[in-house]
Amino acid sequence: MLSTIRTATPLLLSTVFLLMGVGLLHTHIALEGRALGFSVAMIGVLTSAYYAGFLLGTYTIPRLTHRIGHIRTFAFCTSLVAVVVLVQALDPVYGVWLVLRVLQGLLLVGLYAIIESWLNAVAEPAHRGSVFAVYMMVNLAASATAQQLLRIPGEGFVLFCVVAILFCAASLPVVLTTQPQPQLRSMPKVQVRRLFRLAPTALASAFISGLVLGAFWGLLPLYAAARGLGAGDIGTYMSAAIAGGVVLQWPLGRFSDRIDRRLALSLISVVAALAAVVNLLLPAAGGVVAMMVIFVFGGMSFTLYPIAVAHLVDYLHRDELLSASSTVLLVNGVGSAVGQLLAGALMYLLRPELLFVWFAVLDGALA
């Protein structure tokens, strides 16, 4: 296990820089868009454009990777996404931003597919859940740390430059690595139907994870505000959920390596559903008990996707890893986009508390 982590260290280090850039970019675009006078609906469309890029990227970037290899494609995508971010900083026109968000989604989903397929290639089946747990811990910790970069003084242009620097830095560990890159003999392609027949639990889990986490990232702060929390308390509430994801990734990843991963997914979904139900019964979103409940819910929710990927890869040949990573990212991305829309409609048309009904129903159905 430790030898696998050492082998994957350059890739994980690149992931730190990449996810810090992504985390800062998403938040900064929302804040800068508001400062430029974009409405909430317009900012929401920018998010949809980003996920449209996901769809395009799952078809285009794997083909590029097949032609020039993992390392060159990684360097190409990180360099180009840095250029796209700088163009966005120079031209604050909504129509231009819309196109650039599509490009960002296209390039970033390609980078995610390269990272995840490469990790699966170096991980032994007995340690695959643990390796992906480390990846998710790095992912969440980098995203959380990135939010502190919003404190850097300067105009919006400065933070776009910081994002571009992080994306360029992400390419360096991968370019400098002496580890062999995965070899691809066949052209990767998205295979939703085939992979669903092969491991239906994996794709269903990835989709439901997207439905849950898409609503989580986009709507949980609004839920907390509706329950009476101030800005500082909302930050603490979100941090408690993310901390749950960081702390519980490793033990739950190890747990999934020791038993049937479908059973692990079922048990984790049950606990997540119960945590959502308990949250509904609490009189307020603040307080120690509420923080403990959201910690558990976040810890369970953030482990579903990596265990689903590990379960899928258990059934695949090494040549299929990039194709599978692209497919599962596509399914998860579609779930994330739909989750925000449907859960947001429930909250807007009925009651904010229905967000946790949404969580409970989805996790219960998955279990």
Side-chain angles (χ1 to χ4, degrees), residues 223-224 226-229 237 276-291 293 351 353:
Y223 162 84
R227 295 296 298 272
L229 296 188
Y237 192 66
V277 171
V278 170
N279 190 85
L280 286 168
L281 301 176
L282 295 176
V288 176
V289 175
M291 293 298 174
V293 171
R351 298 175 60 191
E353 290 79 3

Side-chain angles (χ1 to χ4, degrees), residues 333-354:
V334 170
S336 297
V338 173
Q340 290 191 59
L341 294 174
L342 295 183
L346 286 174
M347 292 176 67
Y348 177 75
L349 296 174
L350 299 173
R351 298 175 60 191
E353 290 79 3
L354 286 179

Side-chain angles (χ1 to χ4, degrees), residues 51 205-207 209-211 305 327-337:
Y51 284 113
S205 298
F207 182 65
S209 174
L211 290 172
Y305 175 77
T327 302
V328 78
L329 280 166
L330 171 63
V331 170
N332 184 256
V334 170
S336 297

Side-chain angles (χ1 to χ4, degrees), residues 208-280:
I208 290 179
S209 174
L211 290 172
V212 170
L213 291 180
F216 172 93
W217 287 115
L219 302 172
L220 191 63
L222 301 179
Y223 162 84
R227 295 296 298 272
L229 296 188
D233 291 333
I234 291 173
T236 303
Y237 192 66
M238 293 292 293
S239 296
I242 296 171
V246 174
V247 171
L248 297 180
Q249 284 293 328
W250 175 260
L252 291 176
R254 295 271 293 177
F255 176 63
S256 75
D257 284 335
R258 297 175 184 274
I259 66 171
D260 187 321
R261 295 196 208 277
R262 291 169 297 181
L263 178 59
L265 286 166
S266 181
L267 294 174
I268 290 168
S269 299
V270 166
V271 176
L274 290 174
V277 171
V278 170
N279 190 85
L280 286 168

Side-chain angles (χ1 to χ4, degrees), residues 179-221:
Q179 300 295 333
Q181 62 184 334
Q183 299 299 314
L184 298 175
R185 295 183 180 86
S186 58
M187 178 70 75
K189 57 183 179 179
V190 174
Q191 305 179 71
V192 176
R193 185 177 301 177
R194 177 182 175 275
L195 294 181
F196 184 78
R197 288 199 302 265
L198 190 65
T201 301
L203 261 63
S205 298
F207 182 65
I208 290 179
S209 174
L211 290 172
V212 170
L213 291 180
F216 172 93
W217 287 115
L219 302 172
L220 191 63

